[in-house]
mmCIF file of all heavy atoms in Angstrom:
data_model
loop_
_atom_site.group_PDB
_atom_site.id
_atom_site.type_symbol
_atom_site.label_atom_id
_atom_site.label_comp_id
_atom_site.label_asym_id
_atom_site.label_seq_id
_atom_site.Cartn_x
_atom_site.Cartn_y
_atom_site.Cartn_z
ATOM 1 N N ASP A 121 1.510 -65.367 -46.538
ATOM 2 C CA ASP A 121 1.074 -66.375 -45.578
ATOM 3 C C ASP A 121 -0.455 -66.489 -45.532
ATOM 4 O O ASP A 121 -0.987 -67.564 -45.399
ATOM 5 C CB ASP A 121 1.608 -66.043 -44.155
ATOM 6 C CG ASP A 121 3.111 -66.283 -44.077
ATOM 7 O OD1 ASP A 121 3.684 -67.090 -44.876
ATOM 8 O OD2 ASP A 121 3.828 -65.639 -43.215
ATOM 9 N N GLU A 122 -1.113 -65.330 -45.655
ATOM 10 C CA GLU A 122 -2.560 -65.326 -45.544
ATOM 11 C C GLU A 122 -3.200 -65.984 -46.719
ATOM 12 O O GLU A 122 -4.206 -66.751 -46.634
ATOM 13 C CB GLU A 122 -3.080 -63.910 -45.344
ATOM 14 C CG GLU A 122 -2.741 -63.306 -44.016
ATOM 15 C CD GLU A 122 -3.233 -61.852 -43.886
ATOM 16 O OE1 GLU A 122 -3.781 -61.352 -44.867
ATOM 17 O OE2 GLU A 122 -3.012 -61.265 -42.808
ATOM 18 N N VAL A 123 -2.709 -65.699 -47.941
ATOM 19 C CA VAL A 123 -3.324 -66.213 -49.108
ATOM 20 C C VAL A 123 -2.772 -67.605 -49.489
ATOM 21 O O VAL A 123 -3.231 -68.270 -50.440
ATOM 22 C CB VAL A 123 -3.212 -65.231 -50.309
ATOM 23 C CG1 VAL A 123 -3.926 -63.963 -50.003
ATOM 24 C CG2 VAL A 123 -1.742 -65.009 -50.648
ATOM 25 N N ASN A 124 -1.692 -68.022 -48.773
ATOM 26 C CA ASN A 124 -1.063 -69.280 -49.003
ATOM 27 C C ASN A 124 -0.585 -69.473 -50.444
ATOM 28 O O ASN A 124 -0.876 -70.500 -51.067
ATOM 29 C CB ASN A 124 -2.008 -70.440 -48.563
ATOM 30 C CG ASN A 124 -1.281 -71.743 -48.325
ATOM 31 O OD1 ASN A 124 0.006 -71.727 -48.183
ATOM 32 N ND2 ASN A 124 -2.018 -72.877 -48.458
ATOM 33 N N LEU A 125 0.129 -68.446 -50.957
ATOM 34 C CA LEU A 125 0.626 -68.487 -52.314
ATOM 35 C C LEU A 125 1.991 -69.230 -52.287
ATOM 36 O O LEU A 125 2.755 -69.015 -51.334
ATOM 37 C CB LEU A 125 0.782 -67.110 -52.850
ATOM 38 C CG LEU A 125 -0.541 -66.368 -53.153
ATOM 39 C CD1 LEU A 125 -0.264 -64.966 -53.587
ATOM 40 C CD2 LEU A 125 -1.361 -67.143 -54.237
ATOM 41 N N PRO A 126 2.253 -70.058 -53.265
ATOM 42 C CA PRO A 126 3.547 -70.712 -53.266
ATOM 43 C C PRO A 126 4.713 -69.778 -53.580
ATOM 44 O O PRO A 126 4.562 -68.937 -54.413
ATOM 45 C CB PRO A 126 3.343 -71.716 -54.409
ATOM 46 C CG PRO A 126 2.376 -71.157 -55.307
ATOM 47 C CD PRO A 126 1.444 -70.349 -54.481
ATOM 48 N N PRO A 127 5.819 -70.004 -52.883
ATOM 49 C CA PRO A 127 7.001 -69.111 -53.146
ATOM 50 C C PRO A 127 7.714 -69.555 -54.395
ATOM 51 O O PRO A 127 8.872 -70.114 -54.256
ATOM 52 C CB PRO A 127 7.833 -69.296 -51.887
ATOM 53 C CG PRO A 127 7.446 -70.710 -51.391
ATOM 54 C CD PRO A 127 6.044 -70.897 -51.744
ATOM 55 N N SER A 128 7.107 -69.353 -55.531
ATOM 56 C CA SER A 128 7.680 -69.892 -56.761
ATOM 57 C C SER A 128 8.434 -68.746 -57.526
ATOM 58 O O SER A 128 8.342 -67.595 -57.146
ATOM 59 C CB SER A 128 6.610 -70.389 -57.677
ATOM 60 O OG SER A 128 5.631 -69.410 -57.935
ATOM 61 N N GLU A 129 9.130 -69.190 -58.509
ATOM 62 C CA GLU A 129 9.794 -68.231 -59.360
ATOM 63 C C GLU A 129 8.876 -67.218 -60.019
ATOM 64 O O GLU A 129 9.168 -66.007 -60.144
ATOM 65 C CB GLU A 129 10.697 -68.958 -60.348
ATOM 66 C CG GLU A 129 11.496 -68.003 -61.257
ATOM 67 C CD GLU A 129 12.373 -68.797 -62.252
ATOM 68 O OE1 GLU A 129 12.457 -70.018 -62.161
ATOM 69 O OE2 GLU A 129 12.938 -68.133 -63.136
ATOM 70 N N SER A 130 7.751 -67.735 -60.475
ATOM 71 C CA SER A 130 6.773 -66.861 -61.131
ATOM 72 C C SER A 130 6.171 -65.797 -60.160
ATOM 73 O O SER A 130 6.005 -64.655 -60.491
ATOM 74 C CB SER A 130 5.664 -67.692 -61.765
ATOM 75 O OG SER A 130 4.952 -68.449 -60.719
ATOM 76 N N MET A 131 5.972 -66.233 -58.890
ATOM 77 C CA MET A 131 5.440 -65.320 -57.919
ATOM 78 C C MET A 131 6.506 -64.227 -57.612
ATOM 79 O O MET A 131 6.200 -63.100 -57.421
ATOM 80 C CB MET A 131 5.091 -66.043 -56.682
ATOM 81 C CG MET A 131 4.635 -65.180 -55.487
ATOM 82 S SD MET A 131 3.100 -64.239 -55.943
ATOM 83 C CE MET A 131 1.952 -65.597 -56.116
ATOM 84 N N ALA A 132 7.791 -64.628 -57.548
ATOM 85 C CA ALA A 132 8.849 -63.652 -57.368
ATOM 86 C C ALA A 132 8.903 -62.644 -58.465
ATOM 87 O O ALA A 132 9.066 -61.468 -58.271
ATOM 88 C CB ALA A 132 10.210 -64.406 -57.238
ATOM 89 N N ARG A 133 8.690 -63.127 -59.728
ATOM 90 C CA ARG A 133 8.696 -62.209 -60.869
ATOM 91 C C ARG A 133 7.542 -61.245 -60.800
ATOM 92 O O ARG A 133 7.680 -60.021 -61.036
ATOM 93 C CB ARG A 133 8.621 -63.002 -62.159
ATOM 94 C CG ARG A 133 9.914 -63.776 -62.511
ATOM 95 C CD ARG A 133 9.787 -64.565 -63.746
ATOM 96 N NE ARG A 133 10.994 -65.255 -64.080
ATOM 97 C CZ ARG A 133 12.048 -64.766 -64.748
ATOM 98 N NH1 ARG A 133 11.966 -63.517 -65.174
ATOM 99 N NH2 ARG A 133 13.047 -65.502 -65.028
ATOM 100 N N GLN A 134 6.340 -61.746 -60.414
ATOM 101 C CA GLN A 134 5.191 -60.849 -60.315
ATOM 102 C C GLN A 134 5.372 -59.800 -59.269
ATOM 103 O O GLN A 134 5.068 -58.621 -59.429
ATOM 104 C CB GLN A 134 3.925 -61.713 -60.011
ATOM 105 C CG GLN A 134 3.535 -62.609 -61.188
ATOM 106 C CD GLN A 134 2.300 -63.475 -60.800
ATOM 107 O OE1 GLN A 134 1.667 -63.300 -59.741
ATOM 108 N NE2 GLN A 134 1.966 -64.434 -61.698
ATOM 109 N N LEU A 135 5.886 -60.226 -58.067
ATOM 110 C CA LEU A 135 6.103 -59.212 -57.035
ATOM 111 C C LEU A 135 7.253 -58.214 -57.434
ATOM 112 O O LEU A 135 7.146 -57.062 -57.020
ATOM 113 C CB LEU A 135 6.525 -59.931 -55.714
ATOM 114 C CG LEU A 135 5.413 -60.697 -54.983
ATOM 115 C CD1 LEU A 135 5.992 -61.444 -53.794
ATOM 116 C CD2 LEU A 135 4.346 -59.802 -54.588
ATOM 117 N N THR A 136 8.168 -58.661 -58.136
ATOM 118 C CA THR A 136 9.222 -57.753 -58.634
ATOM 119 C C THR A 136 8.699 -56.663 -59.476
ATOM 120 O O THR A 136 8.937 -55.483 -59.435
ATOM 121 C CB THR A 136 10.317 -58.475 -59.360
ATOM 122 O OG1 THR A 136 10.916 -59.414 -58.503
ATOM 123 C CG2 THR A 136 11.399 -57.565 -59.921
ATOM 124 N N GLU A 137 7.681 -57.062 -60.386
ATOM 125 C CA GLU A 137 7.116 -56.090 -61.267
ATOM 126 C C GLU A 137 6.181 -55.145 -60.467
ATOM 127 O O GLU A 137 6.096 -53.985 -60.834
ATOM 128 C CB GLU A 137 6.280 -56.779 -62.334
ATOM 129 C CG GLU A 137 7.174 -57.618 -63.294
ATOM 130 C CD GLU A 137 6.394 -58.397 -64.362
ATOM 131 O OE1 GLU A 137 5.168 -58.423 -64.148
ATOM 132 O OE2 GLU A 137 6.964 -59.029 -65.223
ATOM 133 N N VAL A 138 5.435 -55.717 -59.481
ATOM 134 C CA VAL A 138 4.523 -54.837 -58.737
ATOM 135 C C VAL A 138 5.289 -53.865 -57.852
ATOM 136 O O VAL A 138 5.020 -52.685 -57.740
ATOM 137 C CB VAL A 138 3.577 -55.732 -57.936
ATOM 138 C CG1 VAL A 138 2.748 -54.820 -56.993
ATOM 139 C CG2 VAL A 138 2.649 -56.495 -58.855
ATOM 140 N N LEU A 139 6.279 -54.361 -57.094
ATOM 141 C CA LEU A 139 6.957 -53.519 -56.118
ATOM 142 C C LEU A 139 8.057 -52.697 -56.643
ATOM 143 O O LEU A 139 8.506 -51.710 -56.012
ATOM 144 C CB LEU A 139 7.492 -54.429 -54.964
ATOM 145 C CG LEU A 139 6.524 -55.257 -54.153
ATOM 146 C CD1 LEU A 139 7.172 -56.185 -53.130
ATOM 147 C CD2 LEU A 139 5.511 -54.343 -53.475
ATOM 148 N N GLY A 140 8.554 -53.073 -57.820
ATOM 149 C CA GLY A 140 9.684 -52.337 -58.367
ATOM 150 C C GLY A 140 10.991 -52.650 -57.672
ATOM 151 O O GLY A 140 11.955 -51.870 -57.736
ATOM 152 N N LEU A 141 11.007 -53.748 -57.017
ATOM 153 C CA LEU A 141 12.213 -54.192 -56.247
ATOM 154 C C LEU A 141 12.612 -55.630 -56.747
ATOM 155 O O LEU A 141 11.861 -56.316 -57.374
ATOM 156 C CB LEU A 141 11.943 -54.254 -54.732
ATOM 157 C CG LEU A 141 11.517 -52.923 -54.044
ATOM 158 C CD1 LEU A 141 11.057 -53.181 -52.655
ATOM 159 C CD2 LEU A 141 12.530 -51.882 -54.175
ATOM 160 N N GLN A 142 13.816 -56.006 -56.405
ATOM 161 C CA GLN A 142 14.260 -57.340 -56.743
ATOM 162 C C GLN A 142 13.702 -58.264 -55.634
ATOM 163 O O GLN A 142 14.090 -58.186 -54.499
ATOM 164 C CB GLN A 142 15.781 -57.371 -56.754
ATOM 165 C CG GLN A 142 16.369 -58.755 -57.098
ATOM 166 C CD GLN A 142 16.095 -59.091 -58.599
ATOM 167 O OE1 GLN A 142 15.348 -60.007 -58.859
ATOM 168 N NE2 GLN A 142 16.728 -58.331 -59.491
ATOM 169 N N VAL A 143 12.767 -59.201 -56.012
ATOM 170 C CA VAL A 143 12.113 -60.061 -55.098
ATOM 171 C C VAL A 143 12.485 -61.510 -55.454
ATOM 172 O O VAL A 143 12.432 -61.929 -56.598
ATOM 173 C CB VAL A 143 10.578 -59.929 -55.119
ATOM 174 C CG1 VAL A 143 9.915 -60.860 -54.104
ATOM 175 C CG2 VAL A 143 10.161 -58.465 -54.808
ATOM 176 N N ARG A 144 12.944 -62.250 -54.355
ATOM 177 C CA ARG A 144 13.297 -63.647 -54.571
ATOM 178 C C ARG A 144 12.883 -64.473 -53.370
ATOM 179 O O ARG A 144 12.647 -63.868 -52.275
ATOM 180 C CB ARG A 144 14.817 -63.794 -54.840
ATOM 181 C CG ARG A 144 15.254 -62.937 -56.027
ATOM 182 C CD ARG A 144 16.733 -62.936 -56.232
ATOM 183 N NE ARG A 144 17.271 -64.205 -56.741
ATOM 184 C CZ ARG A 144 18.542 -64.438 -57.113
ATOM 185 N NH1 ARG A 144 19.409 -63.442 -56.980
ATOM 186 N NH2 ARG A 144 18.935 -65.600 -57.509
ATOM 187 N N PHE A 145 12.749 -65.767 -53.530
ATOM 188 C CA PHE A 145 12.438 -66.593 -52.426
ATOM 189 C C PHE A 145 13.633 -67.547 -52.128
ATOM 190 O O PHE A 145 14.427 -67.877 -53.041
ATOM 191 C CB PHE A 145 11.190 -67.468 -52.806
ATOM 192 C CG PHE A 145 9.953 -66.643 -52.874
ATOM 193 C CD1 PHE A 145 9.398 -66.351 -54.127
ATOM 194 C CD2 PHE A 145 9.316 -66.192 -51.699
ATOM 195 C CE1 PHE A 145 8.265 -65.587 -54.205
ATOM 196 C CE2 PHE A 145 8.107 -65.486 -51.848
ATOM 197 C CZ PHE A 145 7.618 -65.177 -53.035
#
Side-chain angles (χ1 to χ4, degrees):
D121 288 336
E122 290 177 359
V123 298
N124 197 19
L125 293 175
S128 60
E129 182 180 349
S130 61
M131 178 60 66
R133 290 178 178 276
Q134 292 177 9
L135 289 175
T136 298
E137 293 175 355
V138 171
L139 299 178
L141 303 173
Q142 183 69 249
V143 180
R144 303 173 73 174
F145 292 105

